[in-house]
Amino acid sequence: MRCVVFGATGYIGGRLVPELVDMGHTVRVLARNPGKLAEVPWRDSVDIITGDVTDPDAVATALADSDVLYYLVHSLTRRDFVDLDRRAATTVAQAAAAAQLSRIVYLGGIKPDSEKLSAHLSSRAEVGEILLASGVPTAEFRAAVIIGSGSASFEMLRYLSERLPAMITPRWVHNRIQPIAIRDVLYYLTRATTLPPEVNRPFDIGGPDVLTYLDMLRRYAAIAELPRRAVVPVPILTPWLSAQWVNLVTPVPRAIAVPLVESLIHEVICHEHDIAEHIPDPPDGLIGFEHAVQLALTRIRSSDVSTRWSDADTPGAPSDPLPSDPEWSGGSLYQDLRERHTTADPDTVWKVIESIGGEHGWYSFPLAWSIRGWIDKLAGGAGLRRGRRDPYRLHTGEALDWWRVEYLDRPRLLRLRAEMRVPGDAWLELSAIPQPDGGTLYRQRAIFEPHGLTGHAYWKAIAPFHGVVFGGMIRNITGTAEANIAGRRSHS
């Protein structure tokens, strides 16, 4: 069939697209920033339309001559996400009806038995209602916590379990949850194309286990072979305070932690399993919680994580490209440019460049980077804990600690855009330039575009520390490359 995926750069969409392609469907995606798809392995197997779900013209272009729309878009990281999601869903519903699609498939959240829902769950339910009323047959799959390598819910569970031998827990950790493995979510999504045209309704989907969040924490600890976690219940720890704690302890920033935790104050379990009337359970059955965790940990430990929650843009992060001309008309740019010649060959230098961040660190003054990361987390930013998907290979658009890979010209140039909280826009460029003597010119450029007087003051305040931070980086990166060359020679 001719399928269109809205949300292909996100966690679910990035895994769904290759599944649809492998099943023989023709796939088109709508992406606000197509550059983020430059290096995905399925890039040349799909048609990419540039646009936003709130743009009627872009949506109409993407839906033209199509059969099935997968709507996997959520804007929970923005303060106005309720209004934005409502407007986007309305635009898409109208365009889908005009295009005479045969089906819409939407992934939402399980609706608890509660009169007052969190803004996050309420918004997702509203989007489902808008699409169901579009006149196009719609299947709304409602899921609770999704367990899979790279999902925000799983990362939150993982870091809380691994980093806290003792936990102060609020009452909501005793609410029941019915998690589902990412493999089973994809199983239902890909087979939704076979639903008969009269099906226009929501379906609850969940795994075979119903657990409390506390059960999930303890079971994760057992699977990961961690000591049993001590738990101290505190009935007054509000969801908002819990989210601040999650923000500090895990890589999940406050803007995402708040709606996730607010959703957990309700019991989210399946009320029915009617989907089995149309899509039978997988041949080996639905995946249980413990097996789902084991699968996710195996992926993480082998650096085989195809998408992560952080692949989506961080709230408040800039999106405009780096001004190519330092004297461009919009204002002035501050720069810290350093160069160093090394006897290491360009490929060796590049390997060090591309492995920067995450477990390898930033090659200078670790305490300063750590303190700056904590300050950013306290301000609600990304901090340094997002890490990286693969310890040695980067991809355009992925998160790298508090940076995002904006441009990658392997093996010459890596450009990172800062997503930390600063009064301006910041970039870091690392280059490996071949030299006639066989060595390499390593070039390092930090760029800052100040916003207002505060931005100018910020740059001048931190400029004295650049010699330690950036000077240490250039020495240690080239030194590591030369040490790697020497190590290879000693083993040959």
Side-chain angles (χ1 to χ4, degrees):
M1 302 186 76
R2 294 165 297 182
C3 302
V4 181
V5 179
F6 288 179
T9 59
Y11 174 70
I12 300 290
R15 300 191 180 204
L16 174 65
V17 170
E19 296 266 350
L20 294 173
V21 171
D22 289 344
M23 294 175 73
H25 299 299
T26 299
V27 181
R28 178 184 295 158
V29 305
L30 178 71
R32 187 171 59 245
N33 181 10
K36 293 180 68 175
L37 302 175
E39 293 181 86
V40 295
W42 43 264
R43 169 65 179 82
D44 295 332
S45 301
V46 303
D47 179 23
I48 299 178
I49 303 294
T50 302
D52 186 84
V53 288
T54 58
D55 180 354
D57 292 336
V59 171
T61 299
L63 296 182
D65 302 319
S66 298
D67 300 312
V68 178
L69 164 64
Y70 285 92
Y71 191 76
L72 306 171
V73 177
H74 297 296
S75 308
L76 76 161
T77 56
R78 291 181 44 154
R79 291 185 178 180
D80 60 342
F81 73 90
V82 174
D83 292 335
L84 184 62
D85 278 349
R86 180 186 302 121
R87 181 156 50 94
T90 302
T91 299
V92 170
Q94 293 172 348
Q100 298 183 325
L101 297 187
S102 61
R103 174 149 309 279
I104 297 174
V105 182
Y106 168 61
L107 180 62
I110 289 179
K111 191 174 181 180
D113 289 328
S114 174
E115 293 183 2
K116 186 176 181 181
L117 301 179
S118 68
H120 170 48
L121 285 181
S122 179
S123 176
R124 296 183 77 175
E126 182 185 23
V127 169
E129 292 168 359
I130 292 171
L131 297 177
L132 287 165
S134 66
V136 176
T138 298
E140 176 190 1
F141 291 117
R142 294 175 171 176
V145 171
I146 296 177
I147 302 297
S149 58
S151 79
S153 296
F154 181 71
E155 289 294 282
M156 188 171 102
L157 175 72
R158 180 165 76 99
Y159 277 85
L160 286 174
S161 299
E162 292 184 354
R163 297 195 170 181
L164 297 177
M167 287 175 276
I168 299 175
T169 58
R171 286 179 296 180
W172 56 259
V173 301
H174 299 286
N175 292 340
R176 293 184 303 161
I177 302 166
Q178 192 164 353
I180 183 170
I182 179 62
R183 291 191 184 187
D184 289 335
V185 174
L186 295 173
Y187 173 84
Y188 286 123
L189 290 175
T190 54
R191 285 154 182 80
T193 58
T194 65
L195 291 171
E198 64 270 16
V199 173
N200 184 64
R201 55 160 292 183
F203 293 98
D204 288 353
I205 57 173
D209 300 318
V210 176
L211 308 165
T212 67
Y213 201 83
L214 183 57
D215 290 334
M216 292 166 59
L217 289 167
R218 285 174 167 165
R219 290 196 185 191
Y220 177 93
I223 295 166
E225 299 181 345
L226 303 172
R228 183 177 174 83
R229 274 29 198 157
V231 174
V232 180
V234 178
I236 60 173
L237 201 58
T238 67
W240 186 87
L241 286 173
S242 299
Q244 313 313 307
W245 182 243
V246 169
N247 171 61
L248 288 176
V249 175
T250 80
V252 181
R254 187 165 57 208
I256 295 177
V258 169
L260 284 180
V261 171
E262 285 180 343
S263 299
L264 295 172
I265 65 175
H266 310 285
E267 288 204 335
V268 279
I269 59 176
C270 296
H271 304 287
E272 42 81 13
H273 189 54
D274 296 348
I275 189 60
E277 298 174 8
H278 305 284
I279 302 176
D281 288 352
D284 295 330
L286 294 166
I287 299 172
F289 174 79
E290 293 184 1
H291 187 202
V293 170
Q294 289 167 347
L295 290 171
L297 288 177
T298 298
R299 290 268 188 175
I300 291 169
R301 289 165 180 168
S302 62
S303 300
D304 187 21
V305 181
S306 57
T307 62
R308 300 172 68 207
W309 65 270
S310 54
D311 291 339
D313 292 332
T314 295
S319 58
D320 294 335
L322 168 68
S324 58
D325 182 359
E327 304 301 327
W328 101 112
S329 59
S332 60
L333 288 180
Y334 289 111
Q335 296 190 70
D336 184 283
L337 176 63
R338 298 170 190 264
E339 296 180 342
R340 188 181 184 94
H341 184 275
T342 172
T343 56
D345 60 276
D347 286 342
T348 300
V349 175
W350 177 258
K351 287 179 181 178
V352 178
I353 291 175
E354 194 170 359
S355 64
I356 199 167
E359 63 187 51
H360 295 127
W362 292 88
Y363 293 95
S364 71
F365 203 179
L367 179 61
W369 286 89
S370 179
I371 292 173
R372 184 62 181 86
W374 275 104
I375 292 173
D376 194 55
K377 290 291 284 184
L378 290 170
L384 283 175
R385 287 214 182 96
R386 291 191 301 186
R388 48 182 295 159
R389 193 188 309 176
D390 183 293
Y392 300 104
R393 189 173 179 86
L394 294 171
H395 302 273
T396 304
E398 77 166 285
L400 172 59
D401 291 331
W402 65 42
W403 305 90
R404 188 167 299 277
V405 181
E406 181 174 271
Y407 181 76
L408 185 61
D409 180 15
R410 190 180 287 112
R412 286 184 59 89
L413 172 65
L414 169 64
R415 180 185 300 147
L416 305 174
R417 172 188 283 277
E419 291 186 339
M420 68 187 88
R421 297 299 178 94
V422 291
D425 296 335
W427 295 264
L428 178 63
E429 287 186 343
L430 310 177
S431 306
I433 304 170
Q435 298 297 291
D437 61 0
T440 307
L441 178 65
Y442 170 71
R443 177 176 294 160
Q444 180 179 289
R445 187 166 74 123
I447 310 110
F448 183 69
E449 175 197 343
H451 291 177
L453 183 61
T454 304
H456 291 278
Y458 171 82
W459 178 266
K460 294 183 184 301
I462 64 172
F465 301 99
H466 287 172
V468 175
V469 175
F470 294 133
M473 280 185 69
I474 198 167
R475 290 191 301 271
N476 292 331
I477 287 176
T478 55
T480 299
E482 291 167 1
N484 290 344
I485 291 287
R488 288 202 297 267
R489 288 173 179 167
S490 66
H491 285 88
S492 61

